[in-house]
């Protein structure tokens, strides 16, 4: 049988965490279908290999990013093969073909790189490659990067500041979907690329639509034999939670453990629970949106023509959101609600702590 590598390369912000987590949860079931999702996390732990943050995640994507630093746009395979840890991981991945004809690797950071050398390297191992990639509206896509960098403490400032500072960056270049796909097609041919659309509005009410779609790519159906109960989200910050985290980043407080970040995420989730429409807001001005889309006009035309010609309607969900004034440090009613929710959350935590203390007292102190 022909050995095939199914390489899921993103794009980022298209449910990659959910796909990786599903593959992780259903590894044993998939192996009965002849498909292996290598447990790189387990392998690295057992062999004392540090792959950084990817080690702590339930999914197994992301190990390339540990070996290829942020900002490096091209994967130089000969350079990576000089790293003994990387070689061990790849040897383990290749060994997975001993039990299955198909192996899946999922790593959204690959979309931000030139992976031509990596693809050619797999060919030298006589492995066929199928590349899977999902696309979403580029305005949503790029704004989610800005929100992510604020959430992680990597950036502070407006979206306009972010756009200017990311000039010539891999993130900016990754918006040109057709151009990026062409680089891949030049190595593996267009016939070995599976391009899919990440249009959430088309699948409202179906929480597992993305998993069902990805399973279809694998030639499988999502049935009762699979565990699809957990839905993972790389949660964004919304409204005043984003505004205040942005301001918080200016203070330079050490948050290496992520304690403050988790607090802001919790606050954002509570705001969304109170007012779900807050997710349908944007900090991108109409002028900026038009400027970005104008730059992408020809690229998107070619993407549609080459990969989605059978679709009559627009290939991306229309970007219609309530615009929030870009000056993001102003105080407003939403921020006040955020502070109230913060205090409520703190009170709830203290109440729970006191209850736990009372339980412990009742356990260790004799009844009077």
């Amino acid at each position: 049988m022909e050995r095939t590598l199914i390489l899921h390369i993103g794009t980022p912000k298209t449910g990659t965490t959910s796909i990786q987590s599903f593959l992780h949860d259903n590894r044993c079931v998939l192996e009965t279908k002849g498909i292996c999702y290598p447990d790189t996390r387990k392998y690295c732990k057992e062999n004392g290999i540090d792959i950084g943050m990817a080690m702590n995640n339930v999914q197994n994507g992301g190990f390339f990013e540990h070996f290829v630093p942020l900002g490096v746009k091209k994967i130089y395979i000969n350079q990576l093969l000089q790293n003994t840890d990387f070689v061990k991981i790849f040897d383990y991945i290749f060994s997975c073909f001993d039990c299955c004809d198909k192996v899946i690797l999922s790593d959204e950071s690959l979309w931000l790189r030139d992976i031509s050398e990596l693809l050619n390297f797999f060919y030298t191992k006589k492995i066929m490659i199928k590349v899977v990639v999902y696309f979403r509206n580029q305005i949503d896509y790029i704004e989610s990067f800005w929100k992510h960098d604020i959430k992680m403490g990597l950036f502070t400032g407006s979206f306009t500041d972010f756009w200017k500072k990311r000039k010539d960056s891999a993130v900016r270049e990754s918006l040109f979907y057709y151009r990026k796909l062409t680089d891949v097609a030049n190595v593996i041919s267009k016939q070995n690329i599976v391009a899919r659309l990440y249009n959430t509005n088309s699948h409202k009410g179906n929480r597992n639509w993305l998993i069902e779609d990805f399973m279809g790519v694998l030639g499988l159906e999502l049935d009762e034999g699979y565990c699809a109960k957990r839905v993972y989200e790389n949660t964004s910050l919304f409204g005043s939670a984003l505004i205040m985290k942005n301001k918080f980043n200016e203070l330079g407080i050490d948050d290496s453990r992520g304690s403050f970040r988790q607090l802001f995420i919790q606050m954002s989730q509570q705001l969304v629970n109170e007012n779900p429409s807050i997710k349908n807001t944007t900090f991108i001005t109409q002028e900026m949106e038009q400027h970005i889309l104008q730059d992408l006009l020809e690229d998107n035309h070619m993407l549609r023509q080459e990969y989605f010609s059978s679709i009559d309607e627009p290939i991306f969900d229309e970007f219609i959101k309530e615009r929030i004034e870009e000056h993001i440090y102003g105080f407003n009613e939403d921020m006040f609600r955020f502070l109230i929710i913060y205090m409520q959350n703190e009170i709830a935590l203290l109440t729970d702590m006191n209850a736990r203390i009372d339980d412990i007292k009742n356990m260790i102190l004799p009844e009077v």
Side-chain angles (χ1 to χ4, degrees):
M1 292 292 290
E2 188 175 65
R3 300 187 302 171
T4 302
L5 174 69
I6 301 167
L7 193 60
H8 174 222
I9 62 173
T11 62
K13 316 303 179 185
T14 57
T16 51
T17 302
S18 291
I19 289 174
Q20 291 159 1
S21 299
F22 173 83
L23 295 173
H24 172 86
D25 291 345
N26 293 278
R27 182 176 283 110
C28 293
V29 183
L30 289 168
E31 286 186 4
T32 66
K33 312 288 186 181
I35 300 174
C36 176
Y37 183 54
D39 197 342
T40 51
R41 184 182 67 155
K42 179 181 178 182
Y43 174 82
C44 289
K45 282 187 174 181
E46 290 178 347
N47 290 274
I49 300 173
D50 177 18
I51 53 173
M53 291 181 64
M55 187 74 80
N56 300 320
N57 297 336
V58 67
Q59 70 273 14
N60 291 296
F63 74 87
F64 279 98
E65 195 163 2
H66 176 70
F67 296 99
V68 184
L70 288 172
V72 176
K73 299 180 183 180
K74 182 179 177 69
I75 289 182
Y76 295 96
I77 192 65
N78 288 332
Q79 216 172 59
L80 289 178
L81 293 177
Q82 295 176 23
N83 187 308
T84 55
D85 285 343
F86 183 85
V87 172
K88 288 178 182 178
I89 294 173
F90 254 38
D91 285 345
Y92 161 66
I93 291 169
F94 291 133
S95 73
C96 294
F97 283 107
D98 294 339
C99 63
C100 294
D101 297 323
K102 295 179 181 178
V103 171
I104 301 175
L105 285 185
S106 177
D107 190 330
E108 62 271 29
S109 75
L110 294 177
W111 180 252
L112 302 175
R113 327 284 189 192
D114 177 347
I115 59 172
S116 302
E117 288 192 8
L118 178 66
L119 297 174
N120 277 312
F121 175 71
F122 284 119
Y123 275 146
T124 65
K125 301 292 184 179
K126 302 188 184 306
I127 295 171
M128 293 302 297
I129 307 166
K130 177 184 285 188
V131 165
V132 182
V133 58
Y134 283 81
F135 297 115
R136 68 186 293 183
N137 179 301
Q138 283 119 323
I139 304 300
D140 272 329
Y141 172 85
I142 191 63
E143 186 175 34
S144 67
F145 267 100
W146 172 61
K147 289 181 176 180
H148 174 269
D149 282 4
I150 290 174
K151 180 181 74 173
M152 301 302 293
L154 302 173
F155 187 81
T156 182
S158 68
F159 176 81
T160 300
D161 295 332
F162 176 83
W163 182 253
K164 291 177 180 177
K165 290 182 179 180
R166 294 298 186 271
K167 183 180 180 181
D168 300 322
S169 69
V171 171
R172 284 274 289 264
E173 292 176 5
S174 73
L175 293 171
F176 292 87
Y177 295 159
Y178 176 73
R179 186 189 302 172
K180 295 282 290 182
L181 274 189
T182 300
D183 291 340
V184 174
N186 286 339
V187 180
I188 68 171
S189 83
K190 177 185 170 183
Q191 287 68 32
N192 290 316
I193 295 176
V194 180
R196 310 294 291 171
L197 295 176
Y198 183 79
N199 284 347
T200 56
N201 289 341
S202 304
H203 304 278
K204 286 183 177 178
N206 183 3
R207 66 194 293 271
N208 283 323
W209 76 266
L210 178 62
I211 302 303
E212 290 176 356
D213 190 85
F214 189 82
M215 290 288 281
V217 171
L218 301 180
L220 302 173
E221 292 185 4
L222 183 63
D223 55 35
E224 295 179 356
Y226 297 94
C227 171
K229 297 179 181 178
R230 297 192 289 175
V231 177
Y232 292 87
E233 294 185 10
N234 193 353
T235 311
S236 293
L237 299 180
F238 297 97
S240 53
L242 179 72
I243 294 172
M244 296 189 72
K245 182 60 169 69
N246 201 344
K247 188 65 176 178
F248 173 85
N249 292 345
E250 288 186 348
L251 303 178
I253 298 174
D254 179 25
D255 191 28
S256 55
R257 298 176 65 89
S259 301
F260 287 98
R261 180 173 69 250
Q262 289 303 316
L263 179 61
F264 282 106
I265 290 173
Q266 291 172 21
M267 296 305 101
S268 181
Q269 289 174 333
Q270 290 186 48
L271 282 174
V272 170
N273 291 339
E274 277 198 0
N275 180 23
S277 65
I278 200 173
K279 296 183 73 172
N280 197 38
T281 58
T282 179
F283 288 90
I284 298 180
T285 65
Q286 189 169 7
E287 293 75 18
M288 177 61 74
E289 176 190 342
Q290 292 173 347
H291 169 72
I292 295 171
L293 291 179
Q294 184 61 38
D295 283 349
L296 299 171
L297 190 62
E298 179 61 25
D299 192 86
N300 278 347
H301 172 73
M302 294 301 298
L303 179 73
R304 180 191 181 92
Q305 191 174 46
E306 292 290 324
Y307 291 92
F308 301 104
S309 59
S310 62
I311 300 177
D312 295 330
E313 64 269 14
I315 59 175
F316 295 130
D317 285 340
E318 193 172 358
F319 185 76
I320 301 176
K321 293 188 175 183
E322 180 183 350
R323 299 184 191 278
I324 298 176
E325 185 180 353
E326 187 167 339
H327 180 68
I328 59 177
Y329 300 139
F331 188 89
N332 55 37
E333 184 178 350
D334 192 40
M335 290 180 68
F336 178 73
R337 290 176 60 249
F338 176 90
L339 292 173
I340 295 298
I341 291 172
Y342 174 83
M343 288 186 286
Q344 290 173 334
N345 186 68
E346 288 299 296
I347 291 171
L349 288 173
L350 289 173
T351 301
D352 181 66
M353 186 181 297
N354 288 332
R356 290 172 182 269
I357 291 173
D358 289 338
D359 289 340
I360 292 173
K361 286 181 178 178
N362 292 334
M363 290 174 58
I364 62 177
L365 295 177
E367 293 184 4
V368 178

